[in-house]
Amino acid sequence: MTTTFNNQTLWEDSLKDIESAISSANFNTWFKETFLIKFDDGVAYIGVPNAFIKEWIVKKFYTTVLKTLRDKENGVRSLDFVIAKIDKRKPETKKERQTKENNSAFPLSEYVVNKDDNLNPKYMFDTFVIGPFNELAYAASWAIIKQPGVVYNPLFIHGSTGHGKTHLIQAVGNQIKTNFPNKRVFYLTSEKFYSEYVQAVQNNRTPIFKEKYRKYDVLIMDDVQFLSKKDKTQEELFHLFNSLYENNKQIIFSSDQHPNFIPGLEDRLKSRFSQGMIIDIPAPDHESRLQIIKKKSAVSGVFLNDGIVDFLATTIEGNIRELEGVVNLIACQTQLKNKSLSIPEIKDLIKNTSKPKKMMSVAELIKTVAEFYGLNTESVCKKTRKKEVVRPRQIAMYILREDFNVSFPTIGDKMGGRDHTTVIHSCEKVKNDLKTDKLLEQQIGEIRSIL
């Protein structure tokens, strides 16, 4: 049919009416990226960004949209929602729409790893949530992006699993590719490095292996702790490091712990890692968890009101990966039930997927540990090296870190004003002793049962 109005103006006017008819939150979630493509024989073709939003609008708002358009243009008889980018001006064929919907349901193409550099395009800075817990690592990363190989070389990021290390270091690689198209960037895990080295030795191809990684301008290696006690591979990494460093090539590492506390790591590698910047990413604080949940829910296409966001941030004190998993679970259930979930429903949904929150202050935990060993709180925090005091103090630090995700500096401050490196050493000491000391394992288990 022929129309005498401007599609963009008509849709903008219609969106104003739609927004007044539904909540602002629903409007921003479902209609923000929609647009009117064209009219054809009484059908209004409306562009939507993905299949999830298409399905939701069809189920929940089809009548609202149709009525709004009919009020402005009598010739509108039906709607057809098309998955399209906002610059598209024609509807896709039925076959094209079906293919795109299938791909959108499982958007694997967005996350295909580039075989030339091993970087995953989903790890970008625009999806990275910045908070007090990771702002130093973020600032150092951006300094590198501006001048690769000049500042903070190497950069060594460490922290427990799920704290965003891989996301951050790959985002650096992806951003450097954008800023410096001629620079060769490569990402790999230390396990992959070890595996390739073993194969090279077995196949008498060691010279080829040696040269493979020297050609890159930026080398990013994840999970360095895997090289623990692998002396020959560490030797290869040492020589590779020297070659890259001497040629002002940027080197980035990550690990689940500070390099000084990786068992079986050669001193010369520890020394090399210390030449640049070593930064810890602790567990996200409450404010950061709020932002993470909001961002992840927006990406998942589900609206969570402030009450639910605060409930999740307060209840789930785990890592970023756990927060993302819970948001994905809520998004899935929201889509299946075709309605927003209440807090009681979410409580029931996550009761078996999240760790229960322990309501206890640092002082209360220290007191509990002290009493377990027949001591008072003051003696545990006092600066003494008596054996009967040192072990309970180390255990208190370990539990504060492992069970409550308290930062190393905070633990040190609460326990007599100790330096954070002392706390790190204490936690690693207990963690390593637990591997062989059954009595220690039993005692910590009993303390945890009291908490």
Side-chain angles (χ1 to χ4, degrees):
M1 83 186 194
T2 302
T3 56
T4 58
F5 48 80
N6 181 280
N7 286 353
Q8 182 177 353
T9 301
L10 173 63
W11 187 240
E12 287 176 354
D13 291 343
S14 298
L15 286 178
K16 291 178 183 178
D17 292 346
I18 293 171
E19 185 175 11
S20 65
I22 64 177
S23 70
S24 296
N26 270 324
F27 178 82
N28 290 331
T29 301
W30 307 114
F31 289 94
K32 188 175 181 180
E33 297 182 47
T34 61
F35 63 100
L36 183 59
I37 298 174
K38 76 166 190 177
F39 285 92
D40 187 11
D41 196 23
V43 180
Y45 292 89
I46 300 170
V48 294
N50 57 58
F52 182 77
I53 289 180
K54 172 184 175 180
E55 181 180 358
W56 190 267
I57 292 179
V58 169
K59 286 183 178 179
K60 303 288 288 186
F61 303 110
Y62 185 94
T63 301
T64 300
V65 176
L66 181 60
K67 182 179 184 303
T68 303
L69 282 172
R70 278 181 174 172
D71 288 343
K72 300 181 182 303
E73 172 53 45
N74 293 330
V76 179
R77 296 198 305 270
S78 64
L79 309 174
D80 190 1
F81 292 90
V82 179
I83 299 171
K85 294 181 180 180
I86 201 162
D87 60 352
K88 272 185 161 281
R89 289 297 178 265
K90 64 179 182 179
E92 299 154 312
T93 65
K94 183 177 181 180
K95 183 177 180 181
E96 288 173 334
R97 290 201 301 270
Q98 185 64 47
T99 300
K100 205 149 199 180
E101 288 172 20
N102 291 339
N103 290 339
S104 181
F106 301 95
L108 301 178
S109 59
E110 298 177 14
Y111 306 129
V112 173
V113 173
N114 187 326
K115 293 181 180 180
D116 293 331
D117 53 39
N118 271 349
L119 291 169
N120 192 322
K122 79 173 182 178
Y123 292 129
M124 304 296 287
F125 278 107
D126 59 359
T127 57
F128 187 79
V129 178
I130 308 153
F133 77 109
N134 63 7
E135 59 187 357
L136 178 58
Y138 175 81
S141 298
W142 268 103
I144 285 174
I145 290 166
K146 293 177 181 178
Q147 293 181 295
V150 178
V151 295
Y152 306 140
N153 196 21
L155 175 65
F156 195 108
I157 305 291
H158 68 94
S160 298
T161 182
H163 287 186
K165 302 185 300 297
T166 297
H167 188 150
L168 180 61
I169 62 178
Q170 289 213 38
V172 172
N174 281 317
Q175 192 65 45
I176 289 177
K177 282 172 54 182
T178 300
N179 292 3
F180 305 93
N182 294 328
K183 286 192 178 295
R184 293 163 296 183
V185 182
F186 196 80
Y187 164 88
L188 79 163
T189 64
S190 63
E191 183 179 5
K192 178 67 173 175
F193 185 78
Y194 166 76
S195 176
E196 288 189 8
Y197 172 68
V198 171
Q199 291 178 15
V201 171
Q202 291 174 345
N203 298 324
N204 295 318
R205 297 171 63 87
T206 307
I208 297 176
F209 172 82
K210 288 178 179 291
E211 292 305 315
K212 175 179 178 180
Y213 295 107
R214 284 165 170 75
K215 66 184 180 182
Y216 295 110
D217 300 298
V218 180
L219 183 67
I220 304 170
M221 184 175 291
D222 214 346
D223 295 326
V224 172
Q225 74 276 359
F226 181 81
L227 298 183
S228 171
K229 300 179 182 179
K230 296 176 175 61
D231 296 340
K232 291 296 184 181
T233 310
Q234 288 187 37
E235 182 178 353
E236 287 301 321
L237 178 59
F238 174 78
H239 294 305
L240 172 61
F241 181 102
N242 288 341
S243 175
L244 294 174
Y245 185 83
E246 290 167 2
N247 288 282
N248 296 320
K249 306 296 183 66
Q250 181 66 51
I251 317 164
I252 302 172
F253 297 102
S254 84
S255 171
D256 64 0
Q257 54 192 312
H258 192 288
N260 288 347
F261 298 103
I262 298 177
L265 188 66
E266 293 182 1
D267 288 340
R268 59 180 179 175
L269 274 179
K270 293 178 183 178
S271 176
R272 292 297 186 274
F273 295 151
S274 299
Q275 289 178 205
M277 173 74 79
I278 300 176
I279 303 175
D280 173 37
I281 299 183
D285 55 283
H286 182 79
E287 179 184 347
S288 298
R289 292 197 298 273
L290 289 172
Q291 297 305 316
I292 290 167
I293 293 167
K294 289 178 180 178
K295 189 153 219 173
K296 298 299 181 184
S297 61
V299 172
S300 298
V302 59
F303 169 73
L304 301 177
N305 62 44
D306 290 342
I308 290 176
V309 171
D310 186 67
F311 165 74
L312 292 174
T314 303
T315 304
I316 304 168
E317 293 190 324
N319 57 51
I320 298 172
R321 201 167 292 136
E322 184 179 352
L323 291 171
E324 185 173 13
V326 168
V327 171
N328 289 339
L329 183 61
I330 293 172
C332 180
Q333 287 296 313
T334 298
Q335 184 178 9
L336 289 173
K337 294 184 177 183
N338 196 24
K339 71 179 187 70
S340 298
L341 302 184
S342 64
I343 288 183
E345 289 175 314
I346 291 175
K347 282 183 179 179
D348 186 63
L349 185 64
I350 69 174
K351 64 182 179 182
N352 295 321
T353 61
S354 61
K355 298 176 182 177
K357 179 177 182 283
K358 298 183 176 74
M359 300 298 292
M360 179 173 285
S361 68
V362 173
E364 288 174 328
L365 183 136
I366 296 172
K367 181 181 178 182
T368 301
V369 174
E371 291 177 348
F372 181 85
Y373 287 99
L375 303 169
N376 56 54
T377 303
E378 291 74 22
S379 62
V380 172
C381 296
K382 189 185 301 182
K383 292 186 178 180
T384 176
R385 299 199 59 80
K386 291 182 179 180
K387 185 177 180 180
E388 62 268 25
V389 175
V390 170
R391 178 43 63 97
R393 181 194 302 142
Q394 291 175 336
I395 290 172
M397 292 178 175
Y398 173 81
I399 294 176
L400 283 169
R401 179 63 178 177
E402 291 296 312
D403 292 15
F404 293 81
N405 289 318
V406 180
S407 69
F408 292 126
T410 300
I411 295 173
D413 180 64
K414 297 293 184 180
M415 300 199 71
R418 287 173 168 78
D419 187 80
H420 73 280
T421 57
T422 301
V423 181
I424 293 172
H425 173 74
S426 297
C427 293
E428 293 302 323
K429 179 72 166 60
V430 175
K431 187 181 294 184
N432 290 329
D433 289 348
L434 278 171
K435 297 175 182 178
T436 56
D437 192 336
K438 295 298 181 183
L439 177 59
L440 175 62
E441 182 179 358
Q442 179 184 340
Q443 290 174 346
I444 291 180
E446 290 174 4
I447 293 171
R448 282 171 165 159
S449 67
I450 296 172
L451 299 177

